[in-house]
Amino acid sequence: MIRSSKILARTLIAAGAVAVLPAMAQAQAVRTDLLSLSASATTEVTRDLLQLRFSTTREGKEAAAVQGELKQALDAALTEARKVAKPGQVDLQAGNLSVYPRYGQPKAGSSAAPQITGWQGSVELLVQGRDIEAISKLSGRISSLAIANVSYGLSREAREKAENEVVSQAIASYKSKAAIYAKEFGYSNYRIGEVSVNADQPVSVMAAPMARFKAMGASADEALPVESGKATVTVNVNGSVLMTK
């Protein structure tokens, strides 16, 4: 009796497996009416964001003296920068004030640890914003720090405006491709499936090093030469299309 029950159970399991196979085959069948599709639209926008990074270094025998000189240089730069500071137009960020020791080389054959022979430090001031004219003029009035680098970018407002202008073009291109491809594959129409819309982030562009700008004889009121150029904003549409008869 027990043996008969085992045989019956095995028979039922085998029958169930046979019944499942067609369903699995159907689920794994390739959809021939589903089309993966992508489209994009691009525009060029003048970069409206200027970023200047000022910096300087000091060195001396005492760490406190080096730190004091760096702080004095930063305070002098901030005094000038605060005269034109305005949220969103000219923003200031002070940071990266660091002081570290310098070590001398031990005598040949000596097992003594290297000794501190002095101290060196650096400090930075970041000035950025959309008022390119004010920032470029400020560069000629800051004398305690030198310009380390210059970079141009696109503000969030300008980027979002550009995206809004081209998103309709990207979607229209997506729909146009869907209609054309559906017809080419022998279908008369299509339905939009799952779709994602996203924009590429414009990359900030760094100009040539400008650290020697003041060394070339610029006057105190001479503005830094600037040329921001253009940034590319691209909106991408990706998704699937169900082609219909």
Side-chain angles (χ1 to χ4, degrees):
M1 183 67 180
I2 295 176
R3 183 179 179 183
S4 299
S5 298
K6 289 182 178 180
I7 294 174
L8 179 60
R10 290 173 181 174
T11 303
L12 290 174
I13 291 172
V18 172
V20 169
L21 287 176
M24 292 178 60
Q26 184 177 2
Q28 294 174 356
V30 178
R31 293 287 299 269
T32 59
D33 57 349
L34 194 62
L35 176 67
S36 296
L37 192 61
S38 64
S40 63
T42 300
T43 186
E44 288 189 339
V45 186
T46 300
R47 295 187 181 91
D48 64 339
L49 198 64
L50 173 61
Q51 182 183 91
L52 300 185
R53 184 170 64 85
F54 297 86
S55 68
T56 191
T57 59
R58 295 288 190 275
E59 59 182 41
K61 293 293 186 181
E62 300 294 334
V66 173
Q67 182 175 325
E69 290 181 15
L70 292 173
K71 185 178 182 301
Q72 185 178 6
L74 177 61
D75 287 342
L78 283 171
T79 298
E80 287 295 330
R82 285 169 179 153
K83 295 177 182 179
V84 296
K86 187 178 180 180
Q89 299 300 313
V90 182
D91 294 314
L92 313 177
Q93 180 181 333
N96 293 334
L97 193 160
S98 59
V99 178
Y100 42 90
R102 290 184 304 162
Y103 293 93
Q105 294 294 330
K107 294 181 180 180
S110 174
S111 59
Q115 298 296 311
I116 296 176
T117 60
W119 296 81
Q120 186 173 359
S122 62
V123 69
E124 292 183 346
L125 172 63
L126 186 66
V127 181
Q128 63 180 358
R130 295 195 299 271
D131 194 337
I132 294 179
E133 182 179 358
I135 296 174
S136 64
K137 288 182 178 179
L138 176 63
S139 65
R141 296 198 296 268
I142 292 180
S143 58
S144 59
L145 304 178
I147 299 174
N149 61 51
V150 182
S151 61
Y152 304 95
L154 199 62
S155 66
R156 183 184 63 183
E157 293 81 3
R159 174 176 54 80
E160 290 179 350
K161 181 181 178 182
E163 290 176 6
N164 292 337
E165 290 174 353
V166 297
V167 66
S168 58
Q169 299 176 23
I171 293 174
S173 175
Y174 185 88
K175 291 180 178 179
S176 176
K177 285 184 176 182
I180 293 172
Y181 293 167
K183 183 178 179 181
E184 291 296 324
F185 280 111
Y187 293 83
S188 60
N189 210 338
Y190 69 91
R191 293 203 310 268
I192 299 293
E194 184 177 351
V195 178
S196 66
V197 180
N198 59 80
D200 294 339
Q201 295 294 327
V203 178
S204 296
V205 175
M206 185 175 295
M210 302 294 292
R212 294 185 296 171
F213 174 68
K214 292 183 176 60
M216 294 186 293
S219 66
D221 294 326
E222 185 175 347
L224 175 74
V226 293
E227 183 59 50
S228 62
K230 292 183 178 296
T232 300
V233 177
T234 302
V235 173
N236 304 293
V237 182
N238 301 280
S240 61
V241 170
L242 181 63
M243 298 178 291
T244 59
K245 295 292 187 178

